[in-house]
Amino acid sequence: MYQLGDDKLEVRELLVKAFASAWEHSDKHVDRDTYINSSINVIDSLQVGPEMIYGEEGQGLLEGELDHLPDLLRADGMWVYYEVPAENFFILTWMTDAEKAEAKVASLQGEEGSLACVVDLKQEWHREA
């Protein structure tokens, strides 16, 4: 389990923190738990690299777990979350510091139909069974 200040965190934890952060920047038309749970459930595939995650949405997790969810990623910088719901994908990109992350978010926010934010690693959520 990730603790603030750790230098690594699991892919699954980063995803939860990213979806929780995205909800904070959304129109909040659904409650937070539903938003996070449905975001997790619609992941169809993940491509995981040391400084990037690309996720495609589709029919979602019908059974089992996605590969790479327990993999460890960097937690010593900042992560930027970017999604285009109409195109069914999201990207998480690692940045070296907050200034670069905020600049990246600012450059992405002008794109119509997208959501971009810095991931708040203090976000927590526990999936109900």
Side-chain angles (χ1 to χ4, degrees), residues 2-9 14 17 50-51 73-81 92-102 117-122:
Y2 171 79
Q3 299 292 316
L4 202 57
D6 288 353
D7 63 346
K8 300 281 187 192
L9 78 162
L14 177 59
K17 292 171 185 311
E51 298 176 356
L73 297 168
R74 300 183 76 145
D76 59 342
M78 304 294 290
W79 285 89
V80 171
Y81 176 81
L92 282 154
T93 305
W94 180 83
M95 310 294 286
T96 55
D97 58 50
E99 186 176 315
K100 289 180 181 168
E102 292 292 344
C117 65
V118 174
V119 176
D120 178 359
L121 294 181
K122 294 181 295 226

